[in-house]
Amino acid sequence: MTLPDLASQFVYGRLAWAVVTATVLFALLSLLRAAPLPRRARAVLLAGMAVLFLLPGKASPAYWLTLAFQYPSGLLFGCCVLKLRQHWDGRAGGAPVMTPSLAGALALTGLLLYLDAMGLLTQGYYYAGFGPTAAPVLAVLGAIGCALALVQGQARAQAGALLTTILLFTLLRLPTGNLWDAVLDPLLWGWAVVTLAVNAVRNRARTRATTSPEPVAGQSAELQPVSSLSPLGPAAMEHSSTIKE
């Protein structure tokens, strides 16, 4: 087991938490504002976030976030960089960073890890991320899969973020020296679960809209008033009744 250098952990933690927090802040602003912030306002906001998170010791929000959540995973950091790029370009509603396939893989992996951590599976999946055999093999297989996705042009943004995560883990052992901490953390897992839930609700609503019963032909005419069935309306019916009298 090789742990990352403390200096690299310090730099990574400050940078990663600054990017994650800025992404969340921009997402909230996009929900509250109909139009995106001007480019200058976005630059000032990002610069202020960088200065705030680089403050020493307890003055930095990264200090308290690290105490509460440890370090963000490399994949969360990469996904937030992609999302932050969309906000910077004014494309907050662009292509989703958390795709359904990525969300499904992360949700299932996190579920297995959390069940194992709670003692319901007791297979030692998390501790295998420190192992000298399983972790390198999984990292190599993941890097090969990401490279193939980049060559074939499939989910290139997500594949690039995952490949960068694997490289950070391989070269610097960030963030904690465990492979699972590099690709998953509670915040990223929650993002994946919420994405799956939202997609499920939308698909259910779309299915209901497409399968809703349509009015049967001829049924609407039976339900209309008698006066509306006459091509000339009530005046013509009154005139016809006068002639009969």
PDB file of all heavy atoms in Angstrom, residues 27 63 66 70 105 139 145 157 159 176 179 182 213 223 232 237 239:
ATOM      1  N   ALA A  27     -24.492  26.040 -10.310  1.00  0.00           N
ATOM      2  CA  ALA A  27     -25.735  25.309 -10.555  1.00  0.00           C
ATOM      3  C   ALA A  27     -26.906  25.975  -9.846  1.00  0.00           C
ATOM      4  O   ALA A  27     -28.008  26.100 -10.408  1.00  0.00           O
ATOM      5  CB  ALA A  27     -25.584  23.860 -10.105  1.00  0.00           C
ATOM      6  N   TYR A  63     -10.696  23.185   4.553  1.00  0.00           N
ATOM      7  CA  TYR A  63     -10.316  22.527   5.808  1.00  0.00           C
ATOM      8  C   TYR A  63     -11.522  21.832   6.432  1.00  0.00           C
ATOM      9  O   TYR A  63     -11.446  20.660   6.840  1.00  0.00           O
ATOM     10  CB  TYR A  63      -9.728  23.563   6.770  1.00  0.00           C
ATOM     11  CG  TYR A  63      -9.418  23.026   8.144  1.00  0.00           C
ATOM     12  CD1 TYR A  63      -8.208  22.397   8.396  1.00  0.00           C
ATOM     13  CD2 TYR A  63     -10.336  23.155   9.182  1.00  0.00           C
ATOM     14  CE1 TYR A  63      -7.916  21.899   9.663  1.00  0.00           C
ATOM     15  CE2 TYR A  63     -10.065  22.658  10.445  1.00  0.00           C
ATOM     16  CZ  TYR A  63      -8.859  22.030  10.682  1.00  0.00           C
ATOM     17  OH  TYR A  63      -8.587  21.533  11.936  1.00  0.00           O
ATOM     18  N   THR A  66     -12.957  18.975   4.195  1.00  0.00           N
ATOM     19  CA  THR A  66     -12.141  17.769   4.287  1.00  0.00           C
ATOM     20  C   THR A  66     -12.432  17.009   5.565  1.00  0.00           C
ATOM     21  O   THR A  66     -12.451  15.764   5.576  1.00  0.00           O
ATOM     22  CB  THR A  66     -10.646  18.129   4.210  1.00  0.00           C
ATOM     23  OG1 THR A  66     -10.397  18.839   2.990  1.00  0.00           O
ATOM     24  CG2 THR A  66      -9.786  16.888   4.252  1.00  0.00           C
ATOM     25  N   GLN A  70     -13.775  14.124   3.769  1.00  0.00           N
ATOM     26  CA  GLN A  70     -12.462  13.720   3.266  1.00  0.00           C
ATOM     27  C   GLN A  70     -12.172  14.460   1.954  1.00  0.00           C
ATOM     28  O   GLN A  70     -12.529  15.616   1.819  1.00  0.00           O
ATOM     29  CB  GLN A  70     -12.382  12.207   3.101  1.00  0.00           C
ATOM     30  CG  GLN A  70     -12.505  11.435   4.419  1.00  0.00           C
ATOM     31  CD  GLN A  70     -11.377  11.766   5.401  1.00  0.00           C
ATOM     32  OE1 GLN A  70     -10.223  11.832   5.015  1.00  0.00           O
ATOM     33  NE2 GLN A  70     -11.727  11.966   6.658  1.00  0.00           N
ATOM     34  N   ALA A 105     -23.611   2.799 -13.390  1.00  0.00           N
ATOM     35  CA  ALA A 105     -22.388   2.111 -12.958  1.00  0.00           C
ATOM     36  C   ALA A 105     -21.928   2.613 -11.591  1.00  0.00           C
ATOM     37  O   ALA A 105     -21.548   1.819 -10.714  1.00  0.00           O
ATOM     38  CB  ALA A 105     -21.295   2.309 -14.000  1.00  0.00           C
ATOM     39  N   ALA A 139      -7.252  -0.729 -12.524  1.00  0.00           N
ATOM     40  CA  ALA A 139      -6.833   0.555 -13.086  1.00  0.00           C
ATOM     41  C   ALA A 139      -6.417   0.404 -14.541  1.00  0.00           C
ATOM     42  O   ALA A 139      -6.775   1.234 -15.392  1.00  0.00           O
ATOM     43  CB  ALA A 139      -5.692   1.134 -12.251  1.00  0.00           C
ATOM     44  N   GLY A 145     -10.291   0.737 -21.265  1.00  0.00           N
ATOM     45  CA  GLY A 145     -11.664   1.037 -21.667  1.00  0.00           C
ATOM     46  C   GLY A 145     -11.870   2.506 -21.998  1.00  0.00           C
ATOM     47  O   GLY A 145     -12.553   2.845 -22.971  1.00  0.00           O
ATOM     48  N   ALA A 157     -16.113  12.988 -23.144  1.00  0.00           N
ATOM     49  CA  ALA A 157     -15.881  13.831 -21.965  1.00  0.00           C
ATOM     50  C   ALA A 157     -15.789  12.977 -20.707  1.00  0.00           C
ATOM     51  O   ALA A 157     -14.866  13.142 -19.884  1.00  0.00           O
ATOM     52  CB  ALA A 157     -17.001  14.860 -21.837  1.00  0.00           C
ATOM     53  N   ALA A 159     -15.191   9.724 -20.533  1.00  0.00           N
ATOM     54  CA  ALA A 159     -14.028   8.839 -20.625  1.00  0.00           C
ATOM     55  C   ALA A 159     -12.735   9.583 -20.321  1.00  0.00           C
ATOM     56  O   ALA A 159     -11.834   9.051 -19.655  1.00  0.00           O
ATOM     57  CB  ALA A 159     -13.965   8.214 -22.022  1.00  0.00           C
ATOM     58  N   THR A 176      -6.338   9.246  -1.811  1.00  0.00           N
ATOM     59  CA  THR A 176      -5.993   8.593  -0.533  1.00  0.00           C
ATOM     60  C   THR A 176      -5.124   7.351  -0.710  1.00  0.00           C
ATOM     61  O   THR A 176      -4.781   6.717   0.288  1.00  0.00           O
ATOM     62  CB  THR A 176      -7.283   8.175   0.205  1.00  0.00           C
ATOM     63  OG1 THR A 176      -7.978   7.196  -0.582  1.00  0.00           O
ATOM     64  CG2 THR A 176      -8.178   9.362   0.472  1.00  0.00           C
ATOM     65  N   LEU A 179      -8.030   2.883  -4.734  1.00  0.00           N
ATOM     66  CA  LEU A 179      -8.611   3.056  -6.061  1.00  0.00           C
ATOM     67  C   LEU A 179     -10.063   3.482  -5.989  1.00  0.00           C
ATOM     68  O   LEU A 179     -10.518   4.310  -6.788  1.00  0.00           O
ATOM     69  CB  LEU A 179      -8.480   1.749  -6.851  1.00  0.00           C
ATOM     70  CG  LEU A 179      -9.110   1.745  -8.249  1.00  0.00           C
ATOM     71  CD1 LEU A 179      -8.450   2.775  -9.144  1.00  0.00           C
ATOM     72  CD2 LEU A 179      -9.036   0.361  -8.872  1.00  0.00           C
ATOM     73  N   ALA A 182     -10.603   7.053  -5.547  1.00  0.00           N
ATOM     74  CA  ALA A 182     -10.282   7.848  -6.725  1.00  0.00           C
ATOM     75  C   ALA A 182     -11.455   7.945  -7.688  1.00  0.00           C
ATOM     76  O   ALA A 182     -11.588   8.938  -8.409  1.00  0.00           O
ATOM     77  CB  ALA A 182      -9.067   7.248  -7.446  1.00  0.00           C
ATOM     78  N   PRO A 213     -55.282   7.327 -22.975  1.00  0.00           N
ATOM     79  CA  PRO A 213     -56.340   7.012 -23.946  1.00  0.00           C
ATOM     80  C   PRO A 213     -56.819   8.251 -24.690  1.00  0.00           C
ATOM     81  O   PRO A 213     -57.008   9.312 -24.101  1.00  0.00           O
ATOM     82  CB  PRO A 213     -57.445   6.415 -23.071  1.00  0.00           C
ATOM     83  CG  PRO A 213     -57.197   6.979 -21.705  1.00  0.00           C
ATOM     84  CD  PRO A 213     -55.717   7.116 -21.586  1.00  0.00           C
ATOM     85  N   LEU A 223     -71.513  13.677 -27.121  1.00  0.00           N
ATOM     86  CA  LEU A 223     -71.508  14.446 -25.886  1.00  0.00           C
ATOM     87  C   LEU A 223     -71.778  15.920 -26.095  1.00  0.00           C
ATOM     88  O   LEU A 223     -71.968  16.643 -25.141  1.00  0.00           O
ATOM     89  CB  LEU A 223     -70.157  14.287 -25.186  1.00  0.00           C
ATOM     90  CG  LEU A 223     -69.791  12.847 -24.792  1.00  0.00           C
ATOM     91  CD1 LEU A 223     -68.412  12.821 -24.153  1.00  0.00           C
ATOM     92  CD2 LEU A 223     -70.831  12.268 -23.838  1.00  0.00           C
ATOM     93  N   LEU A 232     -76.040  25.455 -38.489  1.00  0.00           N
ATOM     94  CA  LEU A 232     -76.386  26.872 -38.449  1.00  0.00           C
ATOM     95  C   LEU A 232     -76.623  27.372 -37.040  1.00  0.00           C
ATOM     96  O   LEU A 232     -76.911  28.540 -36.853  1.00  0.00           O
ATOM     97  CB  LEU A 232     -77.644  27.129 -39.283  1.00  0.00           C
ATOM     98  CG  LEU A 232     -77.502  26.803 -40.768  1.00  0.00           C
ATOM     99  CD1 LEU A 232     -78.816  27.085 -41.480  1.00  0.00           C
ATOM    100  CD2 LEU A 232     -76.383  27.606 -41.399  1.00  0.00           C
ATOM    101  N   MET A 237     -82.401  26.388 -35.693  1.00  0.00           N
ATOM    102  CA  MET A 237     -83.360  25.481 -35.069  1.00  0.00           C
ATOM    103  C   MET A 237     -84.633  26.219 -34.674  1.00  0.00           C
ATOM    104  O   MET A 237     -85.748  25.712 -34.846  1.00  0.00           O
ATOM    105  CB  MET A 237     -82.731  24.821 -33.851  1.00  0.00           C
ATOM    106  CG  MET A 237     -81.534  23.922 -34.204  1.00  0.00           C
ATOM    107  SD  MET A 237     -80.893  23.066 -32.782  1.00  0.00           S
ATOM    108  CE  MET A 237     -82.309  22.023 -32.398  1.00  0.00           C
ATOM    109  N   HIS A 239     -85.780  28.876 -36.143  1.00  0.00           N
ATOM    110  CA  HIS A 239     -86.475  29.217 -37.373  1.00  0.00           C
ATOM    111  C   HIS A 239     -87.243  28.007 -37.916  1.00  0.00           C
ATOM    112  O   HIS A 239     -88.374  28.124 -38.368  1.00  0.00           O
ATOM    113  CB  HIS A 239     -85.466  29.689 -38.422  1.00  0.00           C
ATOM    114  CG  HIS A 239     -86.111  30.054 -39.748  1.00  0.00           C
ATOM    115  ND1 HIS A 239     -86.936  31.145 -39.889  1.00  0.00           N
ATOM    116  CD2 HIS A 239     -85.997  29.460 -40.964  1.00  0.00           C
ATOM    117  CE1 HIS A 239     -87.339  31.204 -41.153  1.00  0.00           C
ATOM    118  NE2 HIS A 239     -86.781  30.176 -41.832  1.00  0.00           N
TER     119      HIS A 239
END
